[in-house]
Amino acid sequence: MYIGIIYFIVIILANTVGAISGMGGGVIIKPVLDTLHFHSLAAISFYSSVAVFTMSIVSTMRQLKNGLKLQIPIAVFVSLGSVVGGISGNTVFESLLRLFSDEKYVQLVQIILTIVTLLFAYFYTKIGNERSLELSHPVWYVIVGLFLGFTSTLLGIGGGPINVALLMLCFGIPIKEATVYSIVTIFFSQAAKLVTIAQVTGFERFDLSILLYVIPAAIVGGFVGALISGKISSERVTQVYQVVILLVLLLNLWNGIQLFV
């Protein structure tokens, strides 16, 4: 029971921040749960996906209720790409688990790739967020969604800081709007991942009782995060985004070092 309570607290805090910043919470949940070592890498990835998937539903509904309008072509085509990316990313993740006898090597791959995306996201929002490619063709929307869905499921973080930064860079949209598209992308990529798990391996290998803590925490975190996001400025969202990136970067570095200590 105490494990469930710890997960509950971690997920509420992570999903609140994730909903505000558009990261989805998984970029915080995944390394924190890795540090705690309560479950296997596959189980942690699954719980993180369920948490951010639940949060994405609550947060998107709340944001739309607050009156934020989405550009339908971007939302539709990015989501389409994220579905394919979500399936592909989970397939590669499962293949890596089968390839390596020790899952710590898969975790190391995840940590390295996560650090790379964190650095990109931080420096883009810090020094380059006024530059964008202004891409507008539906093909580009699908390609970006494909990449984001793939990386988020492969890394087990559900969304991540790269979503917001890449959406801003490619399509020239402001950060508060990018956070909402990011959450929508998370919804479709994680839905695809969970359906794939159900069809390929099933959920029997996971302790599903943990979901009794994960899902309520994700709902509360998504609701609170969306509520706060609707009341703060874009500048404040950027500050939250950058602070979280730095903290998660340090946590991932720590986890990487601990793998070989």
Side-chain angles (χ1 to χ4, degrees):
M1 181 177 176
Y2 79 95
I3 294 177
I5 294 173
I6 292 173
Y7 278 25
F8 184 84
I9 295 170
V10 169
I11 290 170
I12 281 184
L13 296 175
N15 273 0
T16 297
V17 175
I20 294 171
S21 62
M23 293 185 187
V27 72
I28 304 171
I29 295 168
K30 171 66 169 54
V32 171
L33 298 192
D34 282 343
T35 303
L36 295 174
H37 298 300
F38 289 148
H39 291 96
S40 69
L41 194 62
I44 289 171
S45 178
F46 170 67
Y47 298 140
S48 178
S49 291
V50 171
V52 296
F53 174 70
T54 305
M55 178 279 301
S56 70
I57 297 173
V58 177
S59 180
T60 300
M61 291 176 62
R62 182 72 192 182
Q63 292 276 23
L64 293 175
K65 187 177 179 180
N66 288 342
L68 186 60
K69 304 296 183 182
L70 296 177
Q71 299 178 48
I72 299 302
I74 297 180
V76 170
F77 287 108
V78 169
S79 299
L80 178 63
S82 69
V83 169
V84 180
I87 295 170
S88 303
N90 187 68
T91 301
V92 172
F93 173 70
E94 294 289 349
S95 298
L96 288 173
L97 286 177
R98 290 191 296 270
L99 179 63
F100 294 102
S101 57
D102 191 335
E103 69 176 27
K104 76 177 183 180
Y105 294 108
V106 181
Q107 187 179 347
L108 182 62
V109 170
Q110 289 181 322
I111 288 172
I112 292 171
L113 292 177
T114 300
I115 288 173
V116 170
T117 63
L118 286 167
L119 290 173
F120 163 76
Y122 179 80
F123 285 112
Y124 176 73
T125 57
K126 194 73 175 176
I127 62 177
N129 59 6
E130 295 182 357
R131 304 181 182 90
S132 67
L133 301 176
E134 303 290 344
L135 302 175
S136 58
H137 196 283
V139 171
W140 284 112
Y141 299 155
V142 174
I143 290 173
V144 170
L146 179 67
F147 176 76
L148 294 179
F150 178 81
T151 54
S152 66
T153 52
L154 173 61
L155 302 181
I157 57 177
I162 194 173
N163 285 34
V164 174
L166 199 62
L167 288 165
M168 292 169 65
L169 171 63
C170 292
F171 308 134
I173 53 182
I175 189 167
K176 288 193 73 172
E177 190 175 334
T179 63
V180 181
Y181 288 115
S182 174
I183 298 297
V184 171
T185 301
I186 289 167
F187 169 81
F188 284 99
S189 65
Q190 298 314 298
K193 174 180 178 176
L194 294 173
V195 170
T196 302
I197 292 174
Q199 293 177 337
V200 176
T201 62
F203 300 123
E204 291 79 10
R205 57 179 173 157
F206 307 124
D207 179 4
L208 298 182
S209 67
I210 294 294
L211 297 184
L212 296 175
Y213 300 91
V214 169
I215 294 175
I219 292 172
V220 174
F223 180 83
V224 174
L227 188 65
I228 295 172
S229 179
K231 297 181 180 298
I232 62 176
S233 66
S234 294
E235 291 75 17
R236 189 66 67 188
V237 171
T238 302
Q239 290 172 355
V240 171
Y241 182 84
Q242 291 171 346
V243 169
V244 172
I245 286 177
L246 290 176
L247 293 176
V248 175
L249 182 62
L250 292 174
L251 185 55
N252 275 279
L253 287 170
W254 171 259
N255 285 341
I257 292 169
Q258 291 303 302
L259 285 176
F260 297 98
V261 171

